[in-house]
Amino acid sequence: MLSIEQNPKTIADCLLSGNEKLTAAGIDDPRLDVRLLLAEAISKETSYLFGYPEKVLSNEEIDRFQVMINKRLKREPVSKIIGRKEFWSLNFKVSRDTLDPRPDSETLIEAVLEGVSDTTQPIKILDLGTGTGCLLLALLSEFDAAQGLGIDISDKALAVAKGNATSLGLSSRVSFQAGNWCEGLESGWDIIISNPPYIGLDEKKALAPEVLNYDPDLALFAENNGMRDYQMLIPQAAVILNEGGMLVIEAGQGQADGINALMADAGLVISTPKKDLGGIHRACIGRKSI
Ligand SMILES: C[S@@+](CC[C@H](N)C(=O)[O-])C[C@H]1O[C@@H](n2cnc3c(N)ncnc32)[C@H](O)[C@@H]1O
């Protein structure tokens, strides 16, 4: 039996020791987390770990890994520890000022792609509450001739989004600006997409510490049982949407009917919301009729 708890030396030791610590702390299925953290600590791909389990690591590499494991023990998400998260197969820098991109939000990208058949058109896309820029930049990666604008109330989030646009090679087709939903924006948008804050204040206690303590409140919570920002932005977005344009909004669980009602009140034609992989109505879709 290895005395790895005191003295891990190899890749295999570190994987075992990390798994034991995170399991003991009640973190479910920690193996992927441990692999991602160790790969980051030694600046390799995770596949390297499987190829070289007996590789002896330097003290610096082991120290870096242990610092990361200690952060994970405090329930900091892996994405925040390593500073990036994958979305739509693209790499996004994340920070304490941005919501981590969620796989469920990819449903919005799918909904847009299903609604706009020709991806070569020079369309204009507006993203309200852009955060890391993940929705807008994922769309721009699909629509080669599109231009985009990302709005956020957080300057620090906007700085992260700009960095992501640069690292993804999309900065020539996108700009970002500070704002409060659609205030002051001109009309002329073919696609408006938004994943606004939608968690009701009374749901705070039920959130995992990874979310509550490490995603910004500004990205999470909305008054009126989570409906407040939908109520603000949907009527505004409907006004500046082009005729024939599409508004796609992320819904929290059980919120799709309320969002559809707001879209209908704003004069949009509603489609059936698109479900995420968990079967939840995630992407609400409204079109401005011609
Ligand atoms: C749920 S996060 C979504 C981030 C990103 N679009 C995504 O899907 O991962 C909501 C974003 O809305 C921004 N936000 C909150 N209130 C806003 C407002 N009044 N106007 C513009 N952006 C706002 C937050 O700063 C946050 O970045």
Side-chain angles (χ1 to χ4, degrees):
M1 185 75 181
L2 294 163
S3 59
I4 52 172
E5 192 57 37
Q6 281 73 34
N7 209 6
K9 287 199 166 36
T10 64
I11 283 179
D13 293 347
C14 286
L15 291 174
L16 194 55
S17 138
N19 272 318
E20 283 175 358
K21 285 183 179 171
L22 297 192
T23 302
I27 294 175
D28 281 343
D29 196 14
R31 282 173 301 179
L32 178 60
D33 290 5
V34 173
R35 285 202 294 268
L36 290 168
L37 294 176
L38 184 57
E40 183 73 12
I42 66 171
S43 306
K44 301 281 187 203
E45 299 292 323
T46 49
S47 54
Y48 182 90
L49 308 177
F50 298 110
Y52 302 93
E54 299 308 325
K55 167 122 176 40
V56 175
L57 300 177
S58 69
N59 289 341
E60 290 74 25
E61 288 172 325
I62 291 172
D63 286 350
R64 268 202 300 277
F65 174 63
Q66 285 179 337
V67 167
M68 290 178 177
I69 287 290
N70 288 339
K71 289 185 178 182
R72 188 70 192 98
L73 287 170
K74 292 184 185 147
R75 305 299 292 261
E76 185 166 345
V78 169
S79 52
K80 295 286 202 266
I81 298 171
I82 68 176
R84 61 176 190 281
K85 179 95 191 257
E86 194 179 288
F87 180 83
W88 202 250
S89 300
L90 303 170
N91 251 317
F92 287 87
K93 184 174 182 289
V94 302
S95 79
R96 293 287 279 265
D97 301 300
T98 59
L99 185 92
D100 275 2
R102 306 291 207 266
D104 290 341
S105 302
E106 294 185 343
T107 315
L108 277 71
I109 308 298
E110 291 163 1
V112 173
L113 288 171
E114 285 167 15
V116 185
S117 50
D118 183 356
T119 57
T120 64
Q121 291 295 310
I123 57 171
K124 284 181 68 187
I125 306 172
L126 174 64
D127 178 18
L128 299 169
T130 198
T132 55
C134 60
L135 297 175
L136 180 57
L137 296 171
L139 286 175
L140 291 178
S141 77
E142 297 289 338
F143 291 89
D144 291 342
Q147 298 279 335
L149 172 64
I151 300 292
D152 208 288
I153 204 161
S154 160
D155 287 325
K156 288 180 175 169
L158 289 168
V160 174
K162 280 180 198 161
N164 282 326
T166 303
S167 60
L168 293 169
L170 293 166
S171 53
S172 63
R173 292 194 285 126
V174 69
S175 49
F176 294 98
Q177 91 190 27
N180 180 16
W181 301 134
C182 304
E183 264 177 33
L185 296 182
E186 295 191 344
S187 302
W189 303 98
D190 302 297
I191 305 287
I192 302 181
I193 194 161
S194 184
N195 173 18
Y198 57 65
I199 300 174
L201 301 174
D202 56 349
E203 292 175 59
K204 242 184 185 185
K205 280 190 239 113
L207 291 180
E210 282 84 349
V211 178
L212 185 61
N213 299 334
Y214 295 98
D215 278 326
D217 281 7
L218 200 53
L220 295 176
F221 301 110
E223 292 175 2
N224 293 356
N225 296 322
M227 295 301 290
R228 178 69 183 145
D229 288 298
Y230 296 130
Q231 291 161 343
M232 299 284 289
L233 75 88
I234 288 172
Q236 297 173 359
V239 171
I240 62 172
L241 192 62
N242 281 344
E243 288 184 355
M246 194 178 177
L247 174 63
V248 179
I249 303 274
E250 177 158 330
Q253 188 163 9
Q255 289 172 322
D257 287 349
I259 294 169
N260 277 348
L262 290 165
M263 286 195 184
D265 286 350
L268 301 179
V269 179
I270 307 306
S271 304
T272 306
K274 187 168 174 57
K275 289 181 182 169
D276 65 20
L277 291 176
I280 292 167
H281 283 137
R282 189 62 70 189
C284 290
I285 304 153
R287 275 191 184 273
K288 194 155 168 176
S289 57
I290 299 174

